mmCIF file of all heavy atoms in Angstrom:
data_model
loop_
_atom_site.group_PDB
_atom_site.id
_atom_site.type_symbol
_atom_site.label_atom_id
_atom_site.label_comp_id
_atom_site.label_asym_id
_atom_site.label_seq_id
_atom_site.Cartn_x
_atom_site.Cartn_y
_atom_site.Cartn_z
ATOM 1 N N GLY C 169 3.934 27.244 48.775
ATOM 2 C CA GLY C 169 2.491 27.390 48.928
ATOM 3 C C GLY C 169 1.870 25.989 49.168
ATOM 4 O O GLY C 169 1.762 25.190 48.312
ATOM 5 N N THR C 170 1.479 25.785 50.457
ATOM 6 C CA THR C 170 0.818 24.526 50.754
ATOM 7 C C THR C 170 -0.544 24.516 50.060
ATOM 8 O O THR C 170 -1.312 25.472 50.185
ATOM 9 C CB THR C 170 0.603 24.362 52.243
ATOM 10 O OG1 THR C 170 1.907 24.409 52.887
ATOM 11 C CG2 THR C 170 -0.073 23.045 52.615
ATOM 12 N N PRO C 171 -0.899 23.456 49.308
ATOM 13 C CA PRO C 171 -2.161 23.382 48.622
ATOM 14 C C PRO C 171 -3.310 23.386 49.594
ATOM 15 O O PRO C 171 -3.295 22.706 50.656
ATOM 16 C CB PRO C 171 -2.108 22.095 47.837
ATOM 17 C CG PRO C 171 -1.119 21.235 48.512
ATOM 18 C CD PRO C 171 -0.077 22.216 49.050
ATOM 19 N N VAL C 172 -4.350 24.156 49.306
ATOM 20 C CA VAL C 172 -5.580 24.233 50.098
ATOM 21 C C VAL C 172 -6.732 23.770 49.228
ATOM 22 O O VAL C 172 -6.989 24.367 48.179
ATOM 23 C CB VAL C 172 -5.827 25.645 50.621
ATOM 24 C CG1 VAL C 172 -7.084 25.701 51.419
ATOM 25 C CG2 VAL C 172 -4.652 26.142 51.518
ATOM 26 N N THR C 173 -7.335 22.731 49.654
ATOM 27 C CA THR C 173 -8.429 22.139 48.819
ATOM 28 C C THR C 173 -9.805 22.636 49.287
ATOM 29 O O THR C 173 -10.116 22.638 50.451
ATOM 30 C CB THR C 173 -8.434 20.593 48.907
ATOM 31 O OG1 THR C 173 -7.145 20.100 48.518
ATOM 32 C CG2 THR C 173 -9.467 19.953 47.980
ATOM 33 N N ASN C 174 -10.583 23.066 48.257
ATOM 34 C CA ASN C 174 -11.950 23.522 48.596
ATOM 35 C C ASN C 174 -12.812 23.379 47.316
ATOM 36 O O ASN C 174 -12.239 23.614 46.156
ATOM 37 C CB ASN C 174 -11.932 24.935 49.086
ATOM 38 C CG ASN C 174 -13.329 25.364 49.613
ATOM 39 O OD1 ASN C 174 -14.150 24.570 49.995
ATOM 40 N ND2 ASN C 174 -13.563 26.640 49.674
ATOM 41 N N PHE C 175 -14.054 23.053 47.439
ATOM 42 C CA PHE C 175 -14.932 23.057 46.311
ATOM 43 C C PHE C 175 -16.402 23.153 46.743
ATOM 44 O O PHE C 175 -16.724 22.973 47.906
ATOM 45 C CB PHE C 175 -14.736 21.772 45.480
ATOM 46 C CG PHE C 175 -15.199 20.464 46.169
ATOM 47 C CD1 PHE C 175 -16.481 19.971 46.001
ATOM 48 C CD2 PHE C 175 -14.287 19.795 46.937
ATOM 49 C CE1 PHE C 175 -16.830 18.774 46.627
ATOM 50 C CE2 PHE C 175 -14.638 18.623 47.588
ATOM 51 C CZ PHE C 175 -15.959 18.079 47.426
ATOM 52 N N THR C 176 -17.299 23.543 45.740
ATOM 53 C CA THR C 176 -18.660 23.571 45.988
ATOM 54 C C THR C 176 -19.407 22.676 45.097
ATOM 55 O O THR C 176 -18.879 22.310 44.033
ATOM 56 C CB THR C 176 -19.230 25.030 45.878
ATOM 57 O OG1 THR C 176 -18.976 25.478 44.467
ATOM 58 C CG2 THR C 176 -18.538 26.006 46.830
ATOM 59 N N MET C 177 -20.653 22.322 45.428
ATOM 60 C CA MET C 177 -21.449 21.436 44.565
ATOM 61 C C MET C 177 -22.825 22.121 44.371
ATOM 62 O O MET C 177 -23.350 22.801 45.222
ATOM 63 C CB MET C 177 -21.754 20.087 45.293
ATOM 64 C CG MET C 177 -20.433 19.387 45.688
ATOM 65 S SD MET C 177 -20.758 17.762 46.404
ATOM 66 C CE MET C 177 -21.644 18.253 47.908
ATOM 67 N N SER C 178 -23.349 21.977 43.148
ATOM 68 C CA SER C 178 -24.639 22.642 42.883
ATOM 69 C C SER C 178 -25.775 22.024 43.568
ATOM 70 O O SER C 178 -26.793 22.625 43.737
ATOM 71 C CB SER C 178 -24.918 22.539 41.353
ATOM 72 O OG SER C 178 -24.936 21.212 40.890
ATOM 73 N N ASP C 179 -25.604 20.719 43.985
ATOM 74 C CA ASP C 179 -26.698 20.041 44.727
ATOM 75 C C ASP C 179 -26.082 18.877 45.478
ATOM 76 O O ASP C 179 -25.017 18.280 45.069
ATOM 77 C CB ASP C 179 -27.749 19.504 43.753
ATOM 78 C CG ASP C 179 -29.099 19.410 44.415
ATOM 79 O OD1 ASP C 179 -29.133 19.400 45.614
ATOM 80 O OD2 ASP C 179 -30.108 19.284 43.658
ATOM 81 N N SER C 180 -26.674 18.515 46.592
ATOM 82 C CA SER C 180 -26.164 17.426 47.372
ATOM 83 C C SER C 180 -27.227 16.462 47.903
ATOM 84 O O SER C 180 -26.941 15.500 48.588
ATOM 85 C CB SER C 180 -25.303 17.928 48.601
ATOM 86 O OG SER C 180 -26.185 18.639 49.470
ATOM 87 N N LEU C 181 -28.522 16.754 47.496
ATOM 88 C CA LEU C 181 -29.581 15.900 47.975
ATOM 89 C C LEU C 181 -30.660 15.861 46.881
ATOM 90 O O LEU C 181 -31.037 16.864 46.286
ATOM 91 C CB LEU C 181 -30.216 16.523 49.280
ATOM 92 C CG LEU C 181 -31.471 15.797 49.832
ATOM 93 C CD1 LEU C 181 -31.085 14.399 50.215
ATOM 94 C CD2 LEU C 181 -32.085 16.593 50.975
ATOM 95 N N SER C 182 -31.134 14.641 46.659
ATOM 96 C CA SER C 182 -32.197 14.434 45.669
ATOM 97 C C SER C 182 -33.138 13.371 46.162
ATOM 98 O O SER C 182 -32.729 12.366 46.760
ATOM 99 C CB SER C 182 -31.612 14.027 44.276
ATOM 100 O OG SER C 182 -32.685 13.849 43.339
ATOM 101 N N ALA C 183 -34.437 13.547 45.916
ATOM 102 C CA ALA C 183 -35.452 12.587 46.306
ATOM 103 C C ALA C 183 -35.480 11.441 45.403
ATOM 104 O O ALA C 183 -36.071 10.371 45.748
ATOM 105 C CB ALA C 183 -36.846 13.224 46.452
ATOM 106 N N CYS C 184 -34.834 11.508 44.278
ATOM 107 C CA CYS C 184 -34.917 10.473 43.231
ATOM 108 C C CYS C 184 -33.852 10.696 42.219
ATOM 109 O O CYS C 184 -33.579 11.822 41.831
ATOM 110 C CB CYS C 184 -36.295 10.501 42.613
ATOM 111 S SG CYS C 184 -36.642 9.069 41.505
ATOM 112 N N PRO C 185 -33.209 9.603 41.703
ATOM 113 C CA PRO C 185 -32.302 9.796 40.611
ATOM 114 C C PRO C 185 -33.068 9.938 39.306
ATOM 115 O O PRO C 185 -34.253 9.678 39.244
ATOM 116 C CB PRO C 185 -31.539 8.480 40.587
ATOM 117 C CG PRO C 185 -32.434 7.495 41.198
ATOM 118 C CD PRO C 185 -33.256 8.192 42.166
ATOM 119 N N PRO C 186 -32.448 10.516 38.244
ATOM 120 C CA PRO C 186 -31.021 10.885 38.142
ATOM 121 C C PRO C 186 -30.747 12.288 38.739
ATOM 122 O O PRO C 186 -31.671 13.093 38.857
ATOM 123 C CB PRO C 186 -30.799 10.904 36.667
ATOM 124 C CG PRO C 186 -32.105 11.277 36.102
ATOM 125 C CD PRO C 186 -33.138 10.624 36.921
ATOM 126 N N LEU C 187 -29.486 12.522 39.076
ATOM 127 C CA LEU C 187 -29.051 13.823 39.611
ATOM 128 C C LEU C 187 -27.777 14.284 38.879
ATOM 129 O O LEU C 187 -26.815 13.487 38.879
ATOM 130 C CB LEU C 187 -28.836 13.708 41.087
ATOM 131 C CG LEU C 187 -28.305 15.033 41.792
ATOM 132 C CD1 LEU C 187 -29.346 16.113 41.698
ATOM 133 C CD2 LEU C 187 -27.932 14.751 43.247
#
Side-chain angles (χ1 to χ4, degrees):
T170 301
V172 178
T173 302
N174 190 22
F175 67 93
T176 60
M177 304 183 298
S178 61
D179 208 345
S180 62
L181 176 64
S182 177
C184 189
L187 176 66

